[in-house]
Amino acid sequence: MSHDCSRPQTEAGIYAFDARGVAKRFRHAAIFGALSALMPGETMRFCNDHDPIPLLHQIGDLFGDKIKMAYISREPGEIVIDFLVHP
């Protein structure tokens, strides 16, 4: 499956967030801010070069059941996760 995280909106209500282009120092804060900006029913399609297990735990702690996470791709060097805000 091919993903183009360089496109800001991939489909209606799905917004790409390519973490590879964000400085590591700011990455988690930028991700939390982007998730906070989503409206119910919208999805952030997160792209990264590694599986961010600690980040996923932090997102779960901060957002609880408000955010649903689903892997789209778990290929080496291409991790894609959809974060859906429950309506």
Side-chain angles (χ1 to χ4, degrees):
M1 179 179 287
S2 178
H3 304 281
D4 184 359
C5 284
S6 65
R7 295 173 52 200
Q9 184 176 2
T10 58
E11 301 169 27
I14 299 179
Y15 300 91
F17 185 102
D18 191 342
R20 299 168 294 188
V22 179
K24 288 183 182 182
R25 179 177 177 192
F26 304 120
R27 198 170 288 169
H28 284 204
I31 293 164
F32 299 146
L35 289 171
S36 295
L38 291 173
M39 302 299 290
E42 292 182 329
T43 297
M44 181 176 84
R45 181 156 291 162
F46 171 85
C47 297
N48 204 8
D49 57 0
H50 67 277
D51 203 348
I53 302 299
L55 173 67
L56 300 181
H57 291 294
Q58 290 177 329
I59 290 170
D61 291 344
L62 287 171
F63 294 95
D65 292 337
K66 180 182 175 189
I67 302 280
K68 179 181 175 188
M69 298 179 246
Y71 281 90
I72 302 301
S73 174
R74 281 185 113 166
E75 298 297 321
E78 181 191 66
I79 303 298
V80 181
I81 305 169
D82 276 357
F83 294 100
L84 168 66
V85 177
H86 285 284

